[in-house]
């Protein structure tokens, strides 16, 4: 089997993964709300916290800080720094 060498073929861009949370779009003072049942709120808090830490590590965003709290009928995440 012989493979041909081809020239000037551009590398296709990587597909962008679908974002679940809007961390890159947030400015200080912004927040987002995730509806959740009372029994599921702790799980949602944990998921958002894990995602925010992964975002900070992946993007070198050590200056971006987030606070996540259970609120009425769900969970809210604020960007604080």
């Amino acid at each position: 089997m012989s493979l041909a060498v081809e020239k000037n073929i551009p590398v296709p861009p990587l597909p962008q993964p679908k974002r679940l949370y809007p961390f890159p779009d947030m400015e200080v003072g912004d927040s987002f709300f995730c509806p959740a049942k009372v029994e599921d709120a702790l799980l949602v808090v944990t998921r958002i916290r894990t995602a925010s830490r992964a975002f900070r590590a992946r993007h070198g965003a050590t200056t971006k800080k987030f606070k996540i709290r259970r609120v009425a009928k769900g969970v809210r995440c604020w960007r604080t720094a």
Side-chain angles (χ1 to χ4, degrees), residues 13-35:
L14 289 173
Q16 294 297 317
K18 182 179 175 185
R19 290 185 295 159
L20 186 58
Y21 305 113
F23 299 125
D25 304 329
M26 295 176 74
E27 296 181 12
V28 175
D30 290 352
S31 68
F32 65 88
F33 176 77
C34 288

Side-chain angles (χ1 to χ4, degrees), residues 11 14 16 20 23 27 37 46 49 55-56:
V11 177
L14 289 173
Q16 294 297 317
L20 186 58
F23 299 125
E27 296 181 12
K37 296 178 184 176
T46 303
R49 182 169 290 122
F55 168 77
R56 291 178 67 207

Side-chain angles (χ1 to χ4, degrees), residues 29-78:
D30 290 352
S31 68
F32 65 88
F33 176 77
C34 288
K37 296 178 184 176
V38 173
E39 59 270 14
D40 297 332
L42 185 59
L43 177 62
V44 174
V45 167
T46 303
R47 287 180 177 169
I48 295 172
R49 182 169 290 122
T50 301
S52 69
R53 288 178 180 164
F55 168 77
R56 291 178 67 207
R58 191 171 40 251
H59 296 284
T62 56
T63 59
K64 292 185 179 183
K65 305 220 185 244
F66 301 94
K67 297 286 183 191
I68 302 106
R69 298 286 186 268
R70 287 183 277 181
V71 295
K73 298 185 180 182
V75 175
R76 186 165 290 278
C77 175
W78 290 267

